[in-house]
Amino acid sequence: MEKEIIQKSGGLDIVEGFFTRGVHCGIKKSNNDLAIIFSEIPAAAAAVFTTNRVCAAPVELTRMNLEKNHHIQLVVVNSGVANACTGTKGMEDAILMSQMAAREFNIEDPSLVAVASTGVIGDFLPLNKIEIGIKQTREFYPDNPSGYDTARAIMTTDTFLKEKAVTFFLDGQEVHLAGIAKGSGMIKPNMATMLGFILTDAEIDPRSLQKALKNAVDLSFNRVTVDSDTSTNDMVLLLANGKRGKGVINEKHPDFLIFQEALNRVCRDLAKDIARDGEGATKFINVIVQKAKNESEARTVAFTVAESPLVKTAFFGEDPNWGRIMAAVGRSGILIQPERINITINGVPFVEEGMGTQKMTRNELRSVVQSKELEILIDLGLGDASFNVWTCDFSYDYVKINSHYS
């Protein structure tokens, strides 16, 4: 029983020793747009950040603070303005934002504050509104937390909030782990505009925490692509305050694998929700490449197919155009043998030995791709390696959303 990981309803509120709250402070016309995550004590922290070399000020500041302390006590997040490509003023504003939050929550060292932003690139932060929002969150402390309102506050073009929570046992003690994320467009994480915040009341040392997060992200957020664009603001932050810990867990502890699997599960479920909520998406698509020579080649083929506009628009139009998948595999850059390729969609053969199946009519194949969730299995017939990517289709609404975003 103690090896079991149990899914729980709700989100961040399940984790002990944290207070979270989201509010509307006027950055956006409506809906929550500022959130704080406050730990009663400085929490061991780990993070992964965007690999985009055009990097937003909050990412740079949070990275520096983590390198200094390896602990974070407060996270302040705004949506609506990215604070990216804002020069020296952008960094000054990010620092001021952290100082405002530290002052309001009585944290003497502002370097224990992480800052995150998401929204339109190039605009400066409305610091007067942000200060009002921080004060609003403080008014709810400590008796009225809301993980739900926190998850809402980080959304931009998302159509639904993304929150997951689990409980499990470490060293005989029940602990909790929960996360929220936002992401809908400009998604290809490479560590997706994407933010993720994960909390646990387990006690994990910072080095092991970073290793666990890197492993989890590689199996989850780094397998999502909506439009192949890596944002300037991507950040996934993991905090462990040890509130329910019996002692420090590190990677050598026999229960560390349980923590890793719980973290993997929460990150994986959040990543899938990001793919499901791709801007304008009507279908969730799992692209699986198997029998590749190595994982690197499997990954290359999977992302090439998942990011192909022709493949994605075909699925939006419910057109069983398997030739577009074959063409994407062929231009992926790896050496293939077309006559060895087999492709199934939702278990139904579309391509056999590099040719279209003769077993079903086009209308029968069309009925397969009308499903809202699709699994494309591409068998290269070359080796034993595999890789999968979660994505979505491209619809008219994707163009509409992104042609008027700013």
Side-chain angles (χ1 to χ4, degrees):
M1 182 67 178
E2 290 191 358
K3 301 296 183 182
E4 189 176 2
I5 299 169
I6 302 171
Q7 192 89 27
K8 304 293 284 187
S9 60
L12 300 181
D13 291 336
I14 194 175
V15 186
E16 292 188 16
F18 287 96
F19 172 85
T20 74
R21 187 75 201 198
V23 296
H24 176 240
C25 65
I27 303 173
K28 299 188 297 191
K29 290 182 180 179
S30 60
N31 299 321
N32 288 0
D33 49 21
L34 186 131
I36 61 94
I37 298 169
F38 175 65
S39 176
E40 294 176 2
I41 58 174
V48 290
F49 300 99
T50 181
T51 58
N52 194 320
R53 293 186 181 181
V54 179
C55 185
V59 170
E60 293 180 352
L61 179 61
T62 298
R63 183 188 282 124
M64 287 190 296
N65 287 350
L66 269 176
E67 289 174 354
K68 176 182 177 182
N69 299 307
H70 306 291
H71 285 74
I72 292 293
Q73 190 169 4
L74 180 66
V75 184
V76 56
V77 193
N78 75 275
S79 59
V81 176
N83 193 15
C85 302
T86 47
T88 303
K89 177 172 170 49
M91 179 57 75
E92 292 171 350
D93 287 351
I95 292 171
L96 285 170
M97 185 171 167
S98 70
Q99 292 172 340
M100 289 174 184
R103 185 166 56 249
E104 200 63 40
F105 282 84
N106 300 315
I107 297 172
E108 292 185 5
D109 183 1
S111 69
L112 287 171
V113 178
V115 179
S117 300
T118 181
V120 178
I121 293 171
D123 289 353
F124 294 114
L125 290 174
L127 288 177
N128 58 329
K129 295 178 180 179
I130 286 173
E131 185 171 23
I132 291 170
I134 293 170
K135 290 180 181 296
Q136 284 180 291
T137 64
R138 185 66 172 83
E139 291 173 2
F140 288 104
Y141 178 77
D143 297 325
N144 292 293
S146 175
Y148 176 85
D149 282 337
T150 304
R152 285 182 60 222
I154 67 174
M155 294 166 59
T156 50
T157 58
D158 305 64
T159 64
F160 62 86
L161 63 83
K162 302 161 183 70
E163 59 178 5
K164 304 293 176 182
V166 296
T167 65
F168 53 102
F169 282 83
L170 286 183
D171 213 14
Q173 172 69 41
E174 185 180 27
V175 296
H176 311 91
L177 188 148
I180 61 173
K182 66 84 52 182
S184 190
M186 198 182 279
I187 301 294
K188 184 178 181 179
N190 284 337
M191 3 164 214
T193 318
M194 182 195 134
L195 297 175
F197 303 100
I198 304 163
L199 310 179
T200 181
D201 44 32
E203 190 170 7
I204 313 290
D205 83 275
R207 184 184 296 272
S208 299
L209 201 68
Q210 184 66 45
K211 181 177 180 179
L213 181 61
K214 178 65 166 61
N215 290 339
V217 166
D218 283 344
L219 294 172
S220 58
F221 299 115
N222 277 352
R223 296 184 180 227
V224 175
T225 183
V226 169
D227 47 23
S228 78
D229 274 306
T230 297
S231 168
T232 56
N233 291 62
D234 297 347
M235 179 190 303
V236 179
L237 183 64
L238 169 60
L239 304 181
N241 67 5
K243 194 68 176 178
R244 290 185 62 84
K246 291 173 62 177
V248 179
I249 301 291
N250 61 35
E251 60 187 286
K252 295 181 180 179
H253 192 284
D255 283 351
F256 185 74
L257 291 177
I258 302 171
F259 175 78
Q260 182 73 73
E261 178 50 39
L263 181 61
N264 291 351
R265 182 180 298 187
V266 167
C267 290
R268 186 170 59 240
D269 288 348
L270 289 171
K272 287 182 178 180
D273 276 354
I274 287 172
R276 286 188 175 92
D277 197 25
E279 288 173 338
T282 69
K283 296 184 186 299
F284 170 77
I285 304 170
N286 184 15
V287 179
I288 305 170
V289 175
Q290 67 180 21
K291 295 187 180 178
K293 289 180 181 178
N294 53 59
E295 186 177 289
S296 176
E297 291 193 355
R299 183 184 189 279
T300 296
V301 172
F303 270 105
T304 303
V305 172
E307 293 174 350
S308 166
L310 291 179
V311 171
K312 292 159 78 73
T313 51
F315 282 119
F316 170 64
E318 299 180 341
D319 179 5
N321 194 343
W322 55 264
R324 292 183 175 182
I325 301 174
M326 284 291 290
V329 173
R331 69 174 173 81
S332 66
I334 74 160
L335 293 175
I336 61 168
Q337 296 182 43
E339 67 278 6
R340 292 193 176 189
I341 295 176
N342 294 299
I343 299 173
T344 64
I345 299 179
N346 286 3
V348 177
F350 274 57
V351 174
E352 297 177 304
E353 297 180 344
M355 299 174 60
T357 181
Q358 303 299 308
K359 297 175 182 177
M360 299 181 70
T361 67
R362 181 164 290 273
N363 282 338
E364 289 173 325
L365 295 177
R366 186 183 301 278
S367 68
V368 174
V369 298
Q370 289 173 347
S371 298
K372 295 301 181 185
E373 300 211 354
L374 300 171
E375 179 184 276
I376 305 172
L377 179 60
I378 303 168
D379 184 328
L380 298 179
L382 299 174
D384 299 319
S386 62
F387 197 88
N388 79 289
V389 174
W390 298 302
T391 189
C392 59
D393 57 343
F394 266 165
S395 71
Y396 308 126
D397 285 341
Y398 178 87
V399 178
K400 291 178 182 178
I401 291 167
N402 284 287
S403 60
H404 300 289
Y405 186 76
S406 66

